[in-house]
Amino acid sequence: MKRFCWLIFSIFIISGCAATRHATPENLLNNVNVFGIQDVRAVGGIPSDSFKKDFIKLLEQEEKANFSFLDFKKIRTYSVLAISGGAANGAYGAGLLNGWSHSGARPVFKVVTGVSTGAIIAPFAFLGTDYDGKLKEFYTKYSTRDVARMHLSNNAFTSTWPLVQLIEKYFDEGLLKKIAVEYNNGRRLYVGTTNLDAQRLIIWDMGKIASIGDANSLKLFRKVILASVSIPMAFPPVYFNVEFQDKMYDEMHVDGGVVRQVFFLSDVIRGGDRAIKERGMDVSNIHYKIYIIRNGYADAIWQEVPDKLSAIAGRSMDTMINAQSIGDMYQVYTFTQLGRGDFNLAYIPATYVSKAKQLFDPVEMRRLFDLGFEEAAQGYNWKKTPPGLEEVGK
């Protein structure tokens, strides 16, 4: 994030006329429709009836495709992948996934979640090894000018039209059709954005969006990805026009990493647990093997900070994001320690020193990709606890 300082340092001296807005009232966040589409998202931390119903559908899909009802009286273990933010550091996660495939040990994930750069990785990871080549290309081929161009406005320092074109190129109708197939087979893909008005994570059911299969669903899918990667101030926010009972509102969404660096469905899992109970099943029979890919550091990294505004701002931002990411890991870890699953964590090692010369430096991103690939191809040594707990109990 420190490479964004050249964009951030003048924020306090820029002013402009703000357009009149009509933000969605807090009590309607779970009830509006977007592009005429309803029940495809949930608000983090608030139980969602639509997600509960979708979880029931997931169980029915499993029963139809693979199992009898009696099978669910046995313990079921679902593999889950949660991918963090990290901008260009997403090259590490892309490399790790490719190397994991190479090792032959990569599972088929029941659930995949992503925020920020993780929102770009997540659909490829969800579709499996056939998309490793696309993932590698996205994170090793492009530079800063392929993502954003300087364009000072009242709400950002850049224009993201190049990124919009990349999203349109990689997230096309064919990809959505394949995601829809997996959704109908009982797998789930979620992406997080931040509703800045509400200061809440919005969790989008990307598989359900893809399954709708029309022009609006493709447009919404792409817009959610763009919103999730839209770093405030650096990139313009993404607006969603939503409707409730013939009243129109506009929502300001930015990078999902503003609220959470990584998330699991513990945000809305209470709805899932209610669904399980309504099916006459024991919640304790559902376990999760959760893998977290942190596209960044998890250790404190020493660095002498120059005595200038941009360096201080950048270092402070780095520190806050790293601290936030560790807190998010602890939330997931706590969930697993309540008897609900197994915790597995990967992150960029503290010994790695970035040599990036620009925000998205293809040479540096290839180095990170190769690092992740080599670690995973040899059999990644997944961390079983968040940072700081390694020595507890020894």
PDB file of all heavy atoms in Angstrom, residues 140-151:
ATOM      1  N   THR A 140       0.994 -11.681 -14.072  1.00  0.00           N
ATOM      2  CA  THR A 140       2.397 -11.559 -14.489  1.00  0.00           C
ATOM      3  C   THR A 140       2.572 -10.753 -15.771  1.00  0.00           C
ATOM      4  O   THR A 140       3.693 -10.422 -16.133  1.00  0.00           O
ATOM      5  CB  THR A 140       3.023 -12.952 -14.723  1.00  0.00           C
ATOM      6  OG1 THR A 140       2.296 -13.651 -15.742  1.00  0.00           O
ATOM      7  CG2 THR A 140       3.026 -13.771 -13.441  1.00  0.00           C
ATOM      8  N   LYS A 141       1.496 -10.411 -16.432  1.00  0.00           N
ATOM      9  CA  LYS A 141       1.588  -9.783 -17.751  1.00  0.00           C
ATOM     10  C   LYS A 141       1.419  -8.271 -17.736  1.00  0.00           C
ATOM     11  O   LYS A 141       1.990  -7.566 -18.572  1.00  0.00           O
ATOM     12  CB  LYS A 141       0.536 -10.409 -18.673  1.00  0.00           C
ATOM     13  CG  LYS A 141       0.532  -9.881 -20.095  1.00  0.00           C
ATOM     14  CD  LYS A 141      -0.505 -10.587 -20.941  1.00  0.00           C
ATOM     15  CE  LYS A 141      -0.541 -10.047 -22.368  1.00  0.00           C
ATOM     16  NZ  LYS A 141      -1.566 -10.724 -23.203  1.00  0.00           N
ATOM     17  N   TYR A 142       0.678  -7.737 -16.781  1.00  0.00           N
ATOM     18  CA  TYR A 142       0.240  -6.342 -16.865  1.00  0.00           C
ATOM     19  C   TYR A 142       0.984  -5.429 -15.895  1.00  0.00           C
ATOM     20  O   TYR A 142       1.449  -5.856 -14.837  1.00  0.00           O
ATOM     21  CB  TYR A 142      -1.263  -6.264 -16.612  1.00  0.00           C
ATOM     22  CG  TYR A 142      -2.058  -7.098 -17.587  1.00  0.00           C
ATOM     23  CD1 TYR A 142      -2.669  -8.289 -17.183  1.00  0.00           C
ATOM     24  CD2 TYR A 142      -2.168  -6.725 -18.921  1.00  0.00           C
ATOM     25  CE1 TYR A 142      -3.379  -9.068 -18.076  1.00  0.00           C
ATOM     26  CE2 TYR A 142      -2.878  -7.495 -19.826  1.00  0.00           C
ATOM     27  CZ  TYR A 142      -3.476  -8.668 -19.407  1.00  0.00           C
ATOM     28  OH  TYR A 142      -4.170  -9.450 -20.296  1.00  0.00           O
ATOM     29  N   SER A 143       1.066  -4.153 -16.289  1.00  0.00           N
ATOM     30  CA  SER A 143       1.723  -3.133 -15.467  1.00  0.00           C
ATOM     31  C   SER A 143       0.693  -2.121 -14.992  1.00  0.00           C
ATOM     32  O   SER A 143      -0.499  -2.236 -15.282  1.00  0.00           O
ATOM     33  CB  SER A 143       2.812  -2.428 -16.285  1.00  0.00           C
ATOM     34  OG  SER A 143       2.237  -1.729 -17.386  1.00  0.00           O
ATOM     35  N   THR A 144       1.152  -1.081 -14.286  1.00  0.00           N
ATOM     36  CA  THR A 144       0.257  -0.093 -13.695  1.00  0.00           C
ATOM     37  C   THR A 144      -0.646   0.562 -14.723  1.00  0.00           C
ATOM     38  O   THR A 144      -1.851   0.723 -14.497  1.00  0.00           O
ATOM     39  CB  THR A 144       1.070   0.993 -12.964  1.00  0.00           C
ATOM     40  OG1 THR A 144       1.935   0.368 -12.010  1.00  0.00           O
ATOM     41  CG2 THR A 144       0.158   1.967 -12.249  1.00  0.00           C
ATOM     42  N   ARG A 145      -0.098   0.914 -15.878  1.00  0.00           N
ATOM     43  CA  ARG A 145      -0.899   1.610 -16.879  1.00  0.00           C
ATOM     44  C   ARG A 145      -1.968   0.697 -17.482  1.00  0.00           C
ATOM     45  O   ARG A 145      -2.908   1.182 -18.118  1.00  0.00           O
ATOM     46  CB  ARG A 145      -0.023   2.224 -17.962  1.00  0.00           C
ATOM     47  CG  ARG A 145       0.716   1.250 -18.833  1.00  0.00           C
ATOM     48  CD  ARG A 145       1.552   1.994 -19.880  1.00  0.00           C
ATOM     49  NE  ARG A 145       0.738   2.616 -20.911  1.00  0.00           N
ATOM     50  CZ  ARG A 145       0.507   3.909 -21.020  1.00  0.00           C
ATOM     51  NH1 ARG A 145       1.024   4.755 -20.137  1.00  0.00           N
ATOM     52  NH2 ARG A 145      -0.229   4.394 -21.998  1.00  0.00           N
ATOM     53  N   ASP A 146      -1.839  -0.588 -17.288  1.00  0.00           N
ATOM     54  CA  ASP A 146      -2.875  -1.524 -17.745  1.00  0.00           C
ATOM     55  C   ASP A 146      -4.024  -1.630 -16.753  1.00  0.00           C
ATOM     56  O   ASP A 146      -5.036  -2.288 -17.045  1.00  0.00           O
ATOM     57  CB  ASP A 146      -2.279  -2.923 -17.954  1.00  0.00           C
ATOM     58  CG  ASP A 146      -1.230  -2.944 -19.041  1.00  0.00           C
ATOM     59  OD1 ASP A 146      -1.497  -2.412 -20.131  1.00  0.00           O
ATOM     60  OD2 ASP A 146      -0.137  -3.491 -18.788  1.00  0.00           O
ATOM     61  N   VAL A 147      -3.862  -0.997 -15.582  1.00  0.00           N
ATOM     62  CA  VAL A 147      -4.868  -1.068 -14.529  1.00  0.00           C
ATOM     63  C   VAL A 147      -5.539   0.286 -14.299  1.00  0.00           C
ATOM     64  O   VAL A 147      -6.766   0.364 -14.144  1.00  0.00           O
ATOM     65  CB  VAL A 147      -4.236  -1.571 -13.215  1.00  0.00           C
ATOM     66  CG1 VAL A 147      -5.241  -1.535 -12.066  1.00  0.00           C
ATOM     67  CG2 VAL A 147      -3.680  -2.973 -13.401  1.00  0.00           C
ATOM     68  N   ALA A 148      -4.764   1.361 -14.273  1.00  0.00           N
ATOM     69  CA  ALA A 148      -5.311   2.684 -13.986  1.00  0.00           C
ATOM     70  C   ALA A 148      -4.480   3.756 -14.682  1.00  0.00           C
ATOM     71  O   ALA A 148      -3.304   3.551 -14.992  1.00  0.00           O
ATOM     72  CB  ALA A 148      -5.337   2.930 -12.479  1.00  0.00           C
ATOM     73  N   ARG A 149      -5.121   4.895 -14.924  1.00  0.00           N
ATOM     74  CA  ARG A 149      -4.444   6.059 -15.509  1.00  0.00           C
ATOM     75  C   ARG A 149      -4.732   7.281 -14.642  1.00  0.00           C
ATOM     76  O   ARG A 149      -5.840   7.429 -14.109  1.00  0.00           O
ATOM     77  CB  ARG A 149      -4.945   6.324 -16.936  1.00  0.00           C
ATOM     78  CG  ARG A 149      -4.748   5.159 -17.900  1.00  0.00           C
ATOM     79  CD  ARG A 149      -3.292   4.948 -18.272  1.00  0.00           C
ATOM     80  NE  ARG A 149      -3.125   3.777 -19.126  1.00  0.00           N
ATOM     81  CZ  ARG A 149      -3.193   3.808 -20.461  1.00  0.00           C
ATOM     82  NH1 ARG A 149      -3.450   4.956 -21.083  1.00  0.00           N
ATOM     83  NH2 ARG A 149      -3.018   2.699 -21.167  1.00  0.00           N
ATOM     84  N   MET A 150      -3.746   8.142 -14.522  1.00  0.00           N
ATOM     85  CA  MET A 150      -3.926   9.360 -13.735  1.00  0.00           C
ATOM     86  C   MET A 150      -5.076  10.190 -14.304  1.00  0.00           C
ATOM     87  O   MET A 150      -5.135  10.480 -15.495  1.00  0.00           O
ATOM     88  CB  MET A 150      -2.647  10.194 -13.740  1.00  0.00           C
ATOM     89  CG  MET A 150      -1.562   9.654 -12.827  1.00  0.00           C
ATOM     90  SD  MET A 150      -2.042   9.676 -11.074  1.00  0.00           S
ATOM     91  CE  MET A 150      -2.305  11.415 -10.790  1.00  0.00           C
ATOM     92  N   HIS A 151      -6.019  10.520 -13.430  1.00  0.00           N
ATOM     93  CA  HIS A 151      -7.171  11.337 -13.832  1.00  0.00           C
ATOM     94  C   HIS A 151      -7.781  11.904 -12.567  1.00  0.00           C
ATOM     95  O   HIS A 151      -8.604  11.274 -11.914  1.00  0.00           O
ATOM     96  CB  HIS A 151      -8.195  10.512 -14.604  1.00  0.00           C
ATOM     97  CG  HIS A 151      -9.407  11.301 -14.995  1.00  0.00           C
ATOM     98  ND1 HIS A 151      -9.421  12.195 -16.047  1.00  0.00           N
ATOM     99  CD2 HIS A 151     -10.666  11.340 -14.454  1.00  0.00           C
ATOM    100  CE1 HIS A 151     -10.616  12.750 -16.155  1.00  0.00           C
ATOM    101  NE2 HIS A 151     -11.393  12.238 -15.190  1.00  0.00           N
TER     102      HIS A 151
END
